[in-house]
């Protein structure tokens, strides 16, 4: 059997990460047994030396193309710039502070030998947290463990049917940096939502999952995700954009079967916002978020208790 090596466009958004992006790019260039790719590095109007660094890399390897946004558009806008210029049949992502294993592309693409009609291929990943501790996502996330632990033990590919149901009822089984997505699917679904400054991946993954019958899981960790304390999702309430994303889903016909699940998620992310605002002594915003949690799911006693605590700023 001939191993499939489709053309892959790798989208790497970067903003003020001159100290990290070199490691990310080196991990792509170090891919073993796979060379049919282009690297689209999108500088999102950095103010440090990032643009000079990535231009230096582009001079050394013709597969690297540098795209510079003329204004800061955020990670969604940067990825969309990459979509506009992608020439490959498949899209892969790597954030500028993360890294791939050397067998990432060869492992993901080889799944097409068994599942040639798949539109989404995913894998496990490592996550670096708590001052350098390295964890395996399928061991720490209960939903990932439930669905992927058996495949990890056998080493065989796993076909995951009806992923949108699982995403809504249990949890999102996609992560940036671990997936290979057919570009034709991106064309059908559309680009990332540039209004969102966080929850970008989650919002887009739901849309992708709604347009496929199945995904394919490769049972090995193929990248390392770095949790950085200075990243956007660590310095604002993640729920702020989570609420926006889920409210938009409520208005979308493709998610009409899951409205109850979406309302519950709006409530949960509103709760997250409330805790953040209470912690930072912002009473008015805490009350508003707590009221929204009750409005979208009044059946949970925790939401009512949280509203009372917010009114008392406790």
């Amino acid at each position: 059997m001939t191993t499939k090596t489709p053309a892959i466009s790798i989208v790497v958004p970067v903003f003020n990460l001159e100290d990290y992006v070199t490691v990310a790019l080196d991990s792509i260039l170090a891919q073993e047994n796979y060379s049919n790719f282009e690297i689209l590095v999108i500088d999102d109007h950095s103010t440090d030396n990032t643009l000079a660094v990535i231009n230096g890399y582009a001079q050394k390897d013709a597969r690297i193309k540098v795209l510079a946004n003329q204004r800061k558009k955020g990670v969604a806008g940067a990825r969309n710039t990459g979509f506009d210029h992608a020439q490959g049949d498949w899209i892969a992502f790597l954030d500028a502070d993360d890294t791939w294993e050397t067998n990432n592309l060869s492992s993901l693409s080889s799944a097409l030998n068994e599942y040639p009609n798949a539109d989404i291929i995913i894998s496990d990943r490592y996550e670096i947290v708590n001052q350098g501790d390295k964890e395996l996502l399928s061991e720490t996330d209960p939903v990932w463990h439930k669905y992927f632990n058996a495949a990890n033990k056998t080493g065989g590919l796993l076909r995951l049917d009806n992923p949108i149901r699982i995403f809504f009822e249990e949890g999102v089984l996609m992560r940036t940096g671990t997936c290979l997505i057919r570009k034709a699917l991106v064309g059908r679904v559309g680009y990332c939502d540039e209004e969102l400054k966080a929850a970008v991946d989650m919002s887009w993954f739901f849309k992708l999952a709604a347009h496929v019958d199945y995904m394919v899981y490769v049972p090995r960790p193929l990248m390392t995700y770095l949790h950085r304390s200075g990243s956007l999702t660590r310095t604002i309430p993640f729920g702020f954009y989570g609420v926006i994303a889920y409210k938009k889903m409520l208005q979308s016909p493709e998610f009409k079967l899951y409205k109850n699940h979406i309302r519950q998620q709006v409530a949960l992310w509103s709760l997250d916002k409330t805790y953040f605002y209470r912690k930072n002594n912002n009473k008015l915003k805490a009350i508003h978020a707590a009221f929204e949690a009750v409005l979208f799911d009044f059946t949970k006693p925790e939401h009512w208790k949280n509203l009372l605590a917010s009114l008392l700023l406790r």
Side-chain angles (χ1 to χ4, degrees):
M1 179 183 294
T2 302
T3 301
K4 293 182 181 294
T5 56
I8 299 174
S9 295
I10 305 163
V11 176
V12 184
V14 57
F15 173 72
N16 284 358
L17 287 174
E18 59 179 305
D19 295 331
Y20 292 90
V21 68
T22 57
V23 180
L25 293 177
D26 285 341
S27 77
I28 298 174
L29 296 174
Q31 291 300 294
E32 298 175 349
N33 303 316
Y34 210 100
S35 59
N36 190 17
F37 60 81
E38 64 175 355
I39 308 172
L40 304 173
V41 189
I42 303 93
D43 178 67
D44 198 30
H45 209 58
S46 294
T47 57
D48 64 356
N49 201 41
T50 293
L51 186 58
V53 170
I54 58 180
N55 277 330
Y57 267 74
Q59 291 174 4
K60 299 175 184 178
D61 195 310
R63 293 173 297 180
I64 301 177
K65 300 175 177 62
V66 177
L67 306 169
N69 285 341
Q70 297 306 304
R71 61 179 177 82
K72 191 174 186 308
K73 298 172 67 176
V75 66
R79 287 183 185 147
N80 291 345
T81 297
F83 293 156
D84 281 335
H85 293 82
Q87 299 298 309
D89 297 318
W90 290 79
I91 304 288
F93 301 93
L94 185 65
D95 287 345
D97 50 357
D98 300 329
T99 56
W100 276 349
E101 300 296 309
T102 57
N103 61 338
N104 180 287
L105 293 181
S106 60
S107 297
L108 291 175
S109 61
S110 66
L112 292 172
N113 292 317
E114 187 172 341
Y115 294 97
N117 296 320
D119 287 326
I120 301 175
I121 303 168
I122 62 173
S123 78
D124 205 349
R125 77 177 184 183
Y126 295 113
E127 299 195 351
I128 297 179
V129 297
N130 298 329
Q131 300 179 343
D133 292 340
K134 198 171 186 179
E135 301 175 344
L136 192 61
L137 180 60
S138 62
E139 293 179 352
T140 58
D141 185 292
V143 180
W144 279 67
H145 184 79
K146 172 183 175 179
Y147 282 96
F148 300 139
N149 185 54
N152 290 345
K153 291 179 178 179
T154 63
L157 296 175
L158 174 68
R159 170 174 166 148
L160 193 71
D161 291 313
N162 197 13
I164 188 62
R165 179 194 63 79
I166 299 171
F167 283 24
F168 273 119
E169 294 182 1
E170 299 187 69
V172 177
L173 294 175
M174 291 179 70
R175 294 292 189 274
T176 306
T178 68
C179 48
L180 191 61
I181 302 167
R182 198 182 293 270
K183 190 171 78 170
L185 175 62
V186 177
R188 296 197 302 271
V189 170
Y191 288 5
C192 297
D193 187 343
E194 295 189 20
E195 181 183 352
L196 303 176
K197 303 306 178 185
V200 173
D201 303 335
M202 177 199 72
S203 171
W204 196 57
F205 290 159
F206 269 107
K207 294 178 182 178
L208 293 173
H211 285 79
V212 299
D213 295 325
Y214 67 93
M215 304 188 309
V216 177
Y217 172 73
V218 178
R220 59 185 68 96
L222 296 177
M223 62 92 66
T224 299
Y225 172 79
L226 176 64
H227 288 271
R228 290 190 302 112
S229 60
S231 64
L232 176 65
T233 53
R234 305 275 85 80
T235 55
I236 65 169
F238 186 84
F240 181 85
Y241 292 105
V243 167
I244 294 175
Y246 277 109
K247 282 184 175 179
K248 287 188 174 186
M249 289 184 203
L250 276 175
Q251 307 304 317
S252 177
E254 60 194 341
F255 301 129
K256 62 183 180 181
L257 296 179
Y258 299 96
K259 284 193 173 183
N260 287 337
H261 291 91
I262 295 172
R263 291 183 64 86
Q264 290 170 11
Q265 288 298 320
V266 173
L268 285 174
W269 288 118
S270 296
L271 201 64
D272 177 83
K273 288 171 57 178
T274 307
Y275 293 147
F276 179 89
Y277 291 133
R278 282 168 54 189
K279 181 179 179 181
N280 289 276
N281 296 315
N282 193 326
K283 184 174 183 177
L284 289 179
K285 288 186 177 181
I287 293 172
H288 182 271
F291 179 77
E292 193 165 53
V294 170
L295 180 66
F296 278 87
D297 188 358
F298 62 85
T299 65
K300 298 290 192 300
E302 180 185 5
H303 297 171
W304 290 98
K305 291 178 182 177
N306 184 60
L307 176 58
L308 179 59
S310 298
L311 290 169
L312 299 174
L313 197 58
R314 290 181 179 174

